[in-house]
Amino acid sequence: MRIGILNVTGYAGLELIRLLAWHPEMQIVAITGRSQAGKSLGEVFPFTGLFPNGGLAAMTITEDITTEVDLVFSGLPHKASAEALLPFIEDGIPVVDIAADFRLHDPETYQEWYQEHPCPEYLESAVFGLTELHREEVQQAKIVANPGCYPTGAILGLAPALAERLIPPAVIVDAKSGISGGGRSLTLTNHYSEVNESVEAYALQGHRHMPEIVQELSEVADTDVQVTFVPHLIPMTRGILATCYATLARSVTQQEVDDLYHARYADEPFVQVLAVSPKTKWTYGSNHCLIHPVVHERTGHLIVTTAIDNLVKGASGQALQNANVMLGLPETMGLEAKPLFP
Amino acid sequence: MRIGILNVTGYAGLELIRLLAWHPEMQIVAITGRSQAGKSLGEVFPFTGLFPNGGLAAMTITEDITTEVDLVFSGLPHKASAEALLPFIEDGIPVVDIAADFRLHDPETYQEWYQEHPCPEYLESAVFGLTELHREEVQQAKIVANPGCYPTGAILGLAPALAERLIPPAVIVDAKSGISGGGRSLTLTNHYSEVNESVEAYALQGHRHMPEIVQELSEVADTDVQVTFVPHLIPMTRGILATCYATLARSVTQQEVDDLYHARYADEPFVQVLAVSPKTKWTYGSNHCLIHPVVHERTGHLIVTTAIDNLVKGASGQALQNANVMLGLPETMGLEAKPLFP
Amino acid sequence: MRIGILNVTGYAGLELIRLLAWHPEMQIVAITGRSQAGKSLGEVFPFTGLFPNGGLAAMTITEDITTEVDLVFSGLPHKASAEALLPFIEDGIPVVDIAADFRLHDPETYQEWYQEHPCPEYLESAVFGLTELHREEVQQAKIVANPGCYPTGAILGLAPALAERLIPPAVIVDAKSGISGGGRSLTLTNHYSEVNESVEAYALQGHRHMPEIVQELSEVADTDVQVTFVPHLIPMTRGILATCYATLARSVTQQEVDDLYHARYADEPFVQVLAVSPKTKWTYGSNHCLIHPVVHERTGHLIVTTAIDNLVKGASGQALQNANVMLGLPETMGLEAKPLFP
Amino acid sequence: MRIGILNVTGYAGLELIRLLAWHPEMQIVAITGRSQAGKSLGEVFPFTGLFPNGGLAAMTITEDITTEVDLVFSGLPHKASAEALLPFIEDGIPVVDIAADFRLHDPETYQEWYQEHPCPEYLESAVFGLTELHREEVQQAKIVANPGCYPTGAILGLAPALAERLIPPAVIVDAKSGISGGGRSLTLTNHYSEVNESVEAYALQGHRHMPEIVQELSEVADTDVQVTFVPHLIPMTRGILATCYATLARSVTQQEVDDLYHARYADEPFVQVLAVSPKTKWTYGSNHCLIHPVVHERTGHLIVTTAIDNLVKGASGQALQNANVMLGLPETMGLEAKPLFP
């Protein structure tokens, strides 16, 4: 299959390169970039010369995809992403958008958090690509909106409890993210000396990923779910830990909760329920989401911790997982990488 | 004044050395250690040779304090601390215990979280040394129990809202701590390769600092406060960020909350209410607690973030603050160090 | 092929687990550990449940290998390693020793830097497993001594210049290593708070890896080579950068040196000569050694920088590379992992 | 004394703020910035509200210094620095330039490494402000050129050996610097995700700090010294470790070298010769340079390791040290801060 990647010089695009280097059925045939167009991939990222099919390092970064492709991934920022994907969508070519443009079903909500939507007519047919929740729709989709990095862990961690009405529709998500979540652009929030040896909360009045969590958890719970979401910046490159808090709606034992979660995710290749609280490092470089639900008897709360690698399950790995499903390939193909520990 | 420090080879003791090197009225006359007894301080920590009164580096670490002292700080672990302080307490010499032995008023609660108390008869007269809450009692005290690192930020952040009944007596504290909180002992939880590039929650069923938070917030609120407390390990050396969540009991504006917090801490030299959420790095090496309260209109929550340096305001700086108050010295003496940024 | 791993609970053993999980021809059938014997691998490392052939996580860690194996890797410390490998050696089973016991040909040199050798009679037939220098010997070997992490990059970086007598036999190697090089044991030199935000040189009078570098470079140069080697600890988990300095023996252009290095390593799958100085991060998790030679015209020096992942090319990846060669498998089998950047 | 600081929003300027907050004789009366002019210091750096004389946080950042001052520090980049200092120089007001503009005596060398000098007529009267080498000249100077961060440790470490002709005039300096050395501007070389968990060498063909080292060591040695200097980026915020290599010109014992170094620096308040190799962390936040010389008997080399905090002794602390000397104040005034360990 012939694959195009929009914006290969950001971290989402670069991570796709790493993952697709393993993929036996997908072949990268076009890579775009903006400021680096005209250079070879190897000039921008010298280590890509280590990749097989040395061809990759020699491939030229172009401004647009001009060759025929069977699927397009977009690693562009929002708005630019929808605009660049539009021609492919109109041609009926499957696309996976790692940006936010097709995640929210409601164009008004999109406009509230981003800007006016460039092509709202496609929102209805787009599928929110949290594969574990929407696998069958992804199979049929031409447009898959890859979830945000924060929503991925939060939704997977809370969905089983909300679906079973184990908790009322009001949750708190305290999320801790590595710095790579902020991308490769140059800002003080990813300046080494500013963020190293420091932790901070941000977007306390509301983060753009919040409406995604609300949308998906409300669908799972079949009622409006109130989400208090506070993201934090942590001095590490990769990983998101989400600590989720909710009041238990009824008395329940730890064993019952464990059984519920294990049953929900028993057949999922990329979700694992653990008996101990996960370190984000246990997912470093892999496409897994690790989940640990806890019945906090003292206060009657359910606490769920989830860990992912924000660039893999939180971005490019999940994009590939979706693409595999869209193209009828085995879902885990090319995603066999094990976490790098330590 | 002649000062003795028990267990100078742990991080709390070492940090006292750094702070007392500035202090115009206190003079370190005795330092103890266990495995390192017999060595000079300079042998164990070569950089102490940089300190003034070079005498310090040449001072011998002993097993016990045998010279006359006006006040004793203990940087020993719990239980060992109470046992080593007992002779001084019985002699009426003022002590500041950085360990947990005199923090909880109720010996049964102490026993539940630690072990049988070695000298429960002294619990009643011991003062919980969060200076901002108990300044007058500290002035009169002979035994001051320095608060735990986690409780310091959590209590300072929530006390004003609870005192005003702005929130009901049920709070969630999600705390993120640097690795030095685990001390200088050798464990996998402070092994560099295990904790670097990783975040994890721990003690999900209950952490020993929780009962301190309950005790103090309940006193402030004048009712039993339910505390859900989850600590996390962050890959940095120093700093604790506490993100505190509570439901607002009544409608209130951001301005009203700001006014409340500013009024509460207006005269406090080491507490500062900020209009932006603090980075822990803004307190690096200083004795300050930075607080940022937020009215989260979307969900009707109060969210308060607080930042401290866990080894200063969370341990030895606060111990010195208490000692100054006990001895009738200016409260800020020796605590002028500014945060090191970047 | 049936594989046994001695000491799977250290970082070398654990990294072998990660790499062998990819390997299509090798199957792990026995894993040993000392303090953790009796537990399953999944109990000690919960993330191993993510690995395929879930069997791995359920496999019991034993004290000794008691099943039949076709090859044994040892991740034990020196001395213990030779002792544990001896029965397999005597049975003619191929072994790859990641420890230092069979690296030095001369038992007296070994004794000088370690202790009396437990089985010096096997030193002669053991091969120093820097595959790029001794591939043909490794093919025939029953005992392969995997090189130390520091020597790997230093030797690969200097060998081409010494072989061509481009430099005299006197070199300086200033090496910078991540903390995982110190293993998983508990010491102050891998205590997070002691080494984070700090750099230090150590073993200034001589490090155990020095005689390996001397032995191998002297063989390459066909004369005794003088090596000044200073290792440094860097606050990162993985990676070694070696900066090598030598005086140029004759006038030479950058182009000539580039040609020499490219020619030497043209057919090597795991060595790449770069036109820019490598970041260690470009090798994170991969088995590659990146090399950048520089003619320093101002001073007439040759400077060579080399980067590896100390746990892969510097330990377990190279061990697998050697095992592949010993067993007649493709040398790169199971070693396809690409560097994780960022 | 009334002090002005040019470019208070870079790290050198900000660090001066921290240090001057302690200073009993200097009062900051003017602070400039470019993009932030018009804001208060507290708006740009909220933690400055913690500083005494709260006035500081409320002080407005201006484009130029328009009030009367007794001394000006410049934290501007080179060229801009000389241009902004020129009016003060012409008025005879003492200036300390933290940038490079007045460090090199020879305008042609300056032009080779930077650009044409804006005011070469002042180079002759400017003093290279490594206080330990030029104290008497600094006392008389109106223009002090603060040394670069790398030269500070390298020169202090090698000067005693060169002065005594213990080594010939040819040295190698392998330096490892924290990321803050690159300043607060936004580049990929201080982007967290690019530099974290990685080490790299840079400027292999020549770094701008090299000619400073050559100039000063040649003066000390009274002959041209050849310097091979390779800087490296280390994933930490502060600190420089310089590992210096030279061939011993004659047989000498460790004791003789120790005696030589101790004698040279016996009266220096900010230089300390240690019997162990320093960690950069032992200087974190302090104005000290730690030095450890080693006679490497095996190879006949002298190896000297030196550690500084690049923002203190390597920049603003040394600037204050020079200013104290220029103004006839005690040299250590305001520089009492102890290293923050851990």
Side-chain angles (χ1 to χ4, degrees):
Chain A
M1 308 243 176
R2 298 168 57 86
I3 302 297
I5 304 175
L6 297 172
N7 198 26
V8 82
T9 57
Y11 288 149
L14 179 59
E15 188 73 352
L16 271 171
I17 296 274
R18 179 178 75 93
L19 295 168
L20 289 177
W22 291 96
H23 202 286
E25 296 288 339
M26 295 188 190
Q27 189 193 356
I28 302 171
V29 297
I31 53 179
T32 79
R34 291 175 294 184
S35 56
Q36 309 281 2
K39 291 189 186 167
S40 70
L41 184 64
E43 280 175 276
V44 182
F45 298 116
F47 58 92
T48 55
L50 312 183
F51 289 16
N53 329 329
L56 258 184
M59 187 177 286
T60 301
I61 299 171
T62 57
E63 281 192 45
D64 298 298
I65 297 177
T66 53
T67 183
E68 298 240 325
V69 291
D70 296 312
L71 184 143
V72 175
F73 292 101
S74 171
L76 284 163
H78 63 86
K79 197 178 180 209
S81 192
E83 288 166 355
L85 287 173
L86 202 48
F88 300 95
I89 293 172
E90 288 172 347
D91 283 355
I93 294 170
V95 304
V96 179
D97 182 17
I98 303 180
D101 288 340
F102 298 97
R103 292 179 194 158
L104 299 172
H105 304 331
D106 176 18
E108 284 177 29
T109 307
Y110 180 88
Q111 185 163 345
E112 180 188 351
W113 291 91
Y114 298 91
Q115 72 283 310
E116 197 178 350
H117 199 286
C119 50
E121 64 275 21
Y122 288 107
L123 286 181
E124 201 184 329
S125 66
V127 172
F128 188 86
L130 190 56
T131 333
E132 288 75 12
L133 263 69
H134 300 290
R135 184 169 285 114
E136 290 180 20
E137 298 158 75
V138 171
Q139 280 169 348
Q140 311 300 328
K142 287 290 190 180
I143 307 173
V144 167
N146 216 55
C149 54
Y150 286 121
T152 294
I155 298 168
L156 289 173
L158 288 165
L162 280 166
E164 292 295 314
R165 301 185 181 281
L166 201 62
I167 55 175
V171 299
I172 292 174
V173 176
D174 185 294
K176 296 95 179 159
S177 174
I179 306 298
S180 67
R184 203 174 188 232
S185 59
L186 300 175
T187 67
L188 278 179
T189 55
N190 57 32
H191 186 296
Y192 187 90
S193 303
E194 301 279 316
V195 295
N196 185 42
E197 279 292 291
S198 194
V199 179
E200 64 186 295
Y202 69 103
L204 279 155
Q205 275 298 351
H207 183 280
R208 285 169 167 177
H209 284 180
M210 191 268 280
E212 290 177 44
I213 307 175
V214 169
Q215 169 183 292
E216 294 299 309
L217 289 184
S218 295
E219 189 179 324
V220 165
D222 204 18
T223 185
D224 287 350
V225 176
Q226 186 204 67
V227 176
T228 303
F229 168 58
V230 179
H232 297 75
L233 284 187
I234 303 295
M236 61 186 193
T237 305
R238 289 173 177 242
I240 293 178
L241 188 82
T243 312
C244 310
Y245 302 86
T247 307
L248 281 164
R250 61 176 190 268
S251 179
V252 67
T253 66
Q254 180 68 43
Q255 187 61 51
E256 288 169 306
V257 170
D258 286 346
D259 290 348
L260 169 65
Y261 273 74
H262 277 289
R264 173 62 184 85
Y265 292 124
D267 297 329
E268 289 299 338
F270 294 119
V271 180
Q272 190 160 55
V273 181
L274 294 185
V276 294
S277 194
K279 300 169 184 267
T280 56
K281 199 166 188 165
W282 291 348
T283 66
Y284 215 82
S286 92
N287 196 48
H288 287 86
C289 178
L290 305 180
I291 301 182
H292 177 57
V294 175
V295 173
H296 200 246
E297 293 193 2
R298 203 174 294 271
T299 60
H301 279 98
L302 176 72
I303 306 177
V304 186
T305 55
T306 73
I308 60 169
D309 182 320
N310 60 305
L311 293 181
V312 192
K313 184 63 178 168
S316 306
Q318 184 145 259
L320 178 51
Q321 184 182 356
N322 282 318
N324 282 336
V325 172
M326 292 166 87
L327 298 175
L329 300 170
E331 190 171 325
T332 58
M333 188 173 270
L335 292 165
E336 295 87 355
K338 302 299 158 301
L340 213 58
F341 184 93
Chain B
M1 309 243 176
R2 298 166 55 84
I3 303 296
I5 303 176
L6 297 172
N7 198 28
V8 83
T9 58
Y11 288 149
L14 179 58
E15 188 73 352
L16 272 171
I17 296 273
R18 178 178 75 92
L19 295 168
L20 290 178
W22 291 98
H23 201 287
E25 295 289 339
M26 296 190 188
Q27 189 193 358
I28 302 171
V29 297
I31 52 178
T32 80
R34 290 175 295 184
S35 56
Q36 311 281 4
K39 292 189 186 167
S40 70
L41 185 64
E43 279 175 277
V44 181
F45 299 115
F47 58 90
T48 54
L50 312 184
F51 289 14
N53 328 327
L56 258 184
M59 187 176 286
T60 301
I61 300 171
T62 56
E63 282 192 46
D64 298 298
I65 296 177
T66 54
T67 183
E68 297 240 326
V69 290
D70 297 311
L71 182 141
V72 175
F73 292 102
S74 170
L76 283 163
H78 62 86
K79 196 176 181 206
S81 191
E83 288 166 357
L85 287 174
L86 203 48
F88 300 95
I89 292 171
E90 287 171 348
D91 283 357
I93 293 170
V95 303
V96 179
D97 181 16
I98 304 181
D101 288 341
F102 297 97
R103 293 178 195 158
L104 298 172
H105 304 331
D106 175 17
E108 285 178 29
T109 307
Y110 180 87
Q111 183 161 347
E112 180 188 349
W113 291 91
Y114 298 92
Q115 71 283 310
E116 198 178 351
H117 199 285
C119 50
E121 65 275 20
Y122 288 107
L123 285 182
E124 202 184 328
S125 67
V127 172
F128 188 85
L130 190 56
T131 333
E132 288 76 11
L133 264 69
H134 300 289
R135 183 170 286 113
E136 289 180 21
E137 298 158 75
V138 171
Q139 282 170 346
Q140 312 300 330
K142 287 290 192 181
I143 307 173
V144 166
N146 216 56
C149 53
Y150 286 121
T152 294
I155 297 167
L156 289 174
L158 288 164
L162 280 165
E164 291 295 313
R165 302 186 183 280
L166 200 62
I167 55 176
V171 299
I172 292 175
V173 177
D174 184 294
K176 295 93 179 159
S177 173
I179 306 297
S180 67
R184 204 176 186 230
S185 60
L186 300 174
T187 67
L188 277 179
T189 55
N190 56 32
H191 185 295
Y192 187 91
S193 302
E194 302 280 316
V195 296
N196 185 41
E197 279 290 290
S198 196
V199 179
E200 64 187 295
Y202 68 103
L204 280 155
Q205 276 299 353
H207 183 280
R208 283 169 167 176
H209 285 178
M210 193 268 281
E212 290 178 43
I213 306 174
V214 169
Q215 169 182 293
E216 293 300 307
L217 289 184
S218 296
E219 189 178 323
V220 165
D222 202 18
T223 184
D224 286 350
V225 176
Q226 185 205 67
V227 176
T228 302
F229 168 57
V230 179
H232 298 75
L233 284 186
I234 302 296
M236 59 186 195
T237 305
R238 289 172 178 243
I240 292 179
L241 187 82
T243 312
C244 309
Y245 302 87
T247 306
L248 281 164
R250 62 176 190 268
S251 180
V252 69
T253 66
Q254 180 67 45
Q255 187 61 53
E256 288 169 307
V257 171
D258 286 346
D259 290 348
L260 168 65
Y261 274 75
H262 277 289
R264 173 62 183 85
Y265 293 123
D267 297 329
E268 289 299 338
F270 294 119
V271 179
Q272 190 161 54
V273 180
L274 294 185
V276 294
S277 194
K279 301 168 184 266
T280 56
K281 198 164 191 166
W282 291 349
T283 66
Y284 216 83
S286 92
N287 196 48
H288 287 86
C289 177
L290 304 180
I291 300 183
H292 177 57
V294 176
V295 173
H296 200 246
E297 293 193 2
R298 205 175 294 270
T299 60
H301 279 98
L302 177 72
I303 306 177
V304 186
T305 55
T306 73
I308 60 168
D309 181 321
N310 60 304
L311 294 180
V312 192
K313 184 62 179 169
S316 306
Q318 185 146 258
L320 176 51
Q321 185 182 355
N322 282 318
N324 281 336
V325 173
M326 292 166 86
L327 298 175
L329 299 170
E331 189 171 325
T332 60
M333 189 174 272
L335 293 166
E336 296 86 356
K338 301 302 157 298
L340 212 59
F341 184 92
Chain C
M1 308 243 177
R2 299 167 56 85
I3 303 297
I5 304 175
L6 296 172
N7 197 28
V8 82
T9 57
Y11 288 149
L14 179 59
E15 188 74 350
L16 271 172
I17 295 273
R18 179 178 75 93
L19 294 168
L20 290 177
W22 291 98
H23 202 286
E25 297 287 340
M26 295 189 188
Q27 190 192 355
I28 302 171
V29 297
I31 52 178
T32 79
R34 291 175 294 185
S35 57
Q36 310 281 2
K39 291 190 187 167
S40 71
L41 184 64
E43 280 176 276
V44 181
F45 299 114
F47 58 90
T48 55
L50 312 183
F51 288 16
N53 330 325
L56 260 184
M59 187 177 285
T60 300
I61 299 169
T62 56
E63 281 194 47
D64 298 299
I65 296 177
T66 54
T67 183
E68 298 240 325
V69 291
D70 296 312
L71 184 142
V72 175
F73 292 102
S74 171
L76 284 163
H78 63 86
K79 194 174 182 211
S81 191
E83 288 167 355
L85 286 173
L86 202 49
F88 299 96
I89 292 171
E90 288 171 346
D91 284 356
I93 293 171
V95 304
V96 179
D97 182 17
I98 304 180
D101 287 340
F102 298 97
R103 292 180 194 157
L104 299 172
H105 305 330
D106 175 18
E108 283 178 30
T109 307
Y110 179 88
Q111 184 162 345
E112 180 188 350
W113 291 91
Y114 298 91
Q115 71 285 310
E116 196 178 350
H117 199 285
C119 50
E121 64 275 21
Y122 288 106
L123 286 181
E124 200 184 330
S125 66
V127 172
F128 188 84
L130 190 56
T131 333
E132 289 76 10
L133 264 69
H134 300 290
R135 185 170 285 113
E136 290 179 21
E137 299 157 75
V138 171
Q139 280 170 348
Q140 312 299 329
K142 287 291 191 180
I143 307 173
V144 168
N146 217 54
C149 52
Y150 286 121
T152 295
I155 298 167
L156 289 174
L158 288 165
L162 280 166
E164 291 295 313
R165 302 185 181 282
L166 201 62
I167 54 176
V171 298
I172 292 175
V173 177
D174 185 294
K176 296 93 178 161
S177 174
I179 307 296
S180 67
R184 205 176 186 230
S185 58
L186 300 174
T187 66
L188 276 180
T189 55
N190 56 32
H191 185 296
Y192 187 91
S193 303
E194 301 279 316
V195 295
N196 186 42
E197 281 290 292
S198 195
V199 179
E200 64 186 296
Y202 68 104
L204 279 155
Q205 275 299 351
H207 183 281
R208 283 168 167 178
H209 284 179
M210 191 269 279
E212 289 177 45
I213 306 174
V214 169
Q215 169 183 293
E216 294 299 309
L217 290 184
S218 295
E219 188 179 325
V220 165
D222 203 19
T223 184
D224 286 350
V225 176
Q226 185 204 68
V227 176
T228 303
F229 168 57
V230 179
H232 297 75
L233 284 186
I234 303 295
M236 61 184 192
T237 306
R238 289 171 178 244
I240 293 178
L241 188 81
T243 312
C244 310
Y245 302 86
T247 305
L248 281 162
R250 62 176 189 268
S251 179
V252 68
T253 65
Q254 181 67 43
Q255 187 62 51
E256 287 169 306
V257 170
D258 285 345
D259 290 347
L260 167 66
Y261 274 74
H262 277 289
R264 173 61 184 85
Y265 292 124
D267 297 328
E268 289 298 339
F270 294 119
V271 179
Q272 190 160 54
V273 180
L274 294 184
V276 294
S277 193
K279 300 168 185 269
T280 56
K281 199 165 189 165
W282 292 349
T283 67
Y284 215 82
S286 92
N287 196 48
H288 287 87
C289 178
L290 304 180
I291 300 182
H292 177 58
V294 176
V295 173
H296 200 246
E297 293 193 2
R298 204 176 293 271
T299 60
H301 279 98
L302 177 73
I303 306 177
V304 186
T305 55
T306 74
I308 59 168
D309 182 321
N310 60 305
L311 294 180
V312 192
K313 185 62 180 170
S316 305
Q318 184 146 261
L320 177 51
Q321 184 182 356
N322 283 318
N324 282 336
V325 172
M326 292 166 86
L327 298 174
L329 299 170
E331 189 170 325
T332 60
M333 189 173 271
L335 292 166
E336 296 86 357
K338 303 299 157 301
L340 213 59
F341 184 92
Chain D
M1 309 243 176
R2 299 168 56 84
I3 303 296
I5 304 175
L6 297 171
N7 198 28
V8 84
T9 58
Y11 288 149
L14 179 59
E15 188 73 351
L16 272 171
I17 296 274
R18 179 177 76 91
L19 295 168
L20 290 178
W22 291 97
H23 201 286
E25 296 289 341
M26 295 190 189
Q27 188 192 359
I28 302 172
V29 297
I31 53 180
T32 79
R34 291 174 294 183
S35 56
Q36 310 281 4
K39 293 189 186 167
S40 72
L41 185 65
E43 280 175 276
V44 180
F45 299 114
F47 58 90
T48 54
L50 311 184
F51 289 17
N53 328 328
L56 258 185
M59 188 177 287
T60 300
I61 299 170
T62 56
E63 282 192 47
D64 298 298
I65 296 177
T66 53
T67 181
E68 297 240 327
V69 291
D70 296 312
L71 182 143
V72 176
F73 292 102
S74 171
L76 283 163
H78 63 85
K79 195 177 182 207
S81 192
E83 287 166 356
L85 287 173
L86 202 47
F88 300 96
I89 293 172
E90 288 171 346
D91 283 356
I93 294 171
V95 304
V96 179
D97 182 16
I98 304 181
D101 287 341
F102 298 96
R103 293 178 194 158
L104 299 172
H105 304 331
D106 175 17
E108 285 178 28
T109 308
Y110 179 87
Q111 184 162 346
E112 179 188 351
W113 291 91
Y114 298 91
Q115 71 284 310
E116 198 179 348
H117 199 286
C119 49
E121 65 274 23
Y122 288 107
L123 286 181
E124 202 183 330
S125 66
V127 172
F128 189 84
L130 190 56
T131 333
E132 288 77 10
L133 263 68
H134 300 288
R135 184 170 285 112
E136 289 180 21
E137 297 158 77
V138 171
Q139 281 169 347
Q140 313 299 330
K142 288 289 190 179
I143 307 173
V144 167
N146 216 54
C149 52
Y150 286 122
T152 295
I155 298 167
L156 289 173
L158 288 164
L162 279 166
E164 291 296 312
R165 302 184 183 280
L166 201 62
I167 54 176
V171 298
I172 293 175
V173 176
D174 185 295
K176 296 93 179 162
S177 173
I179 307 296
S180 67
R184 206 177 184 229
S185 59
L186 300 174
T187 66
L188 278 178
T189 54
N190 57 32
H191 185 296
Y192 188 90
S193 302
E194 301 279 317
V195 296
N196 185 41
E197 280 291 290
S198 195
V199 179
E200 64 187 294
Y202 68 104
L204 279 154
Q205 276 298 352
H207 183 281
R208 283 169 167 176
H209 285 178
M210 192 268 281
E212 290 177 42
I213 306 175
V214 169
Q215 169 183 294
E216 294 299 308
L217 290 184
S218 296
E219 189 179 325
V220 166
D222 203 18
T223 183
D224 286 349
V225 175
Q226 185 205 68
V227 176
T228 302
F229 167 56
V230 179
H232 298 74
L233 284 186
I234 302 296
M236 60 185 194
T237 305
R238 288 172 179 244
I240 292 178
L241 187 83
T243 313
C244 310
Y245 302 87
T247 306
L248 281 164
R250 61 175 189 269
S251 180
V252 68
T253 66
Q254 180 67 44
Q255 187 62 51
E256 288 169 306
V257 171
D258 286 345
D259 290 347
L260 167 65
Y261 273 75
H262 277 290
R264 172 61 183 85
Y265 292 124
D267 297 329
E268 289 299 337
F270 294 119
V271 179
Q272 190 161 54
V273 180
L274 294 185
V276 294
S277 192
K279 300 168 185 268
T280 56
K281 199 166 189 164
W282 291 349
T283 66
Y284 216 82
S286 92
N287 196 48
H288 287 86
C289 178
L290 305 179
I291 300 182
H292 177 59
V294 175
V295 173
H296 200 247
E297 294 193 2
R298 205 175 294 272
T299 60
H301 279 99
L302 176 72
I303 305 177
V304 185
T305 55
T306 73
I308 60 167
D309 182 321
N310 59 303
L311 294 180
V312 192
K313 183 64 178 168
S316 306
Q318 184 146 259
L320 177 51
Q321 184 182 355
N322 282 318
N324 282 336
V325 173
M326 291 166 87
L327 298 175
L329 299 170
E331 188 170 328
T332 60
M333 188 174 274
L335 292 165
E336 297 86 356
K338 301 302 157 297
L340 212 59
F341 184 93

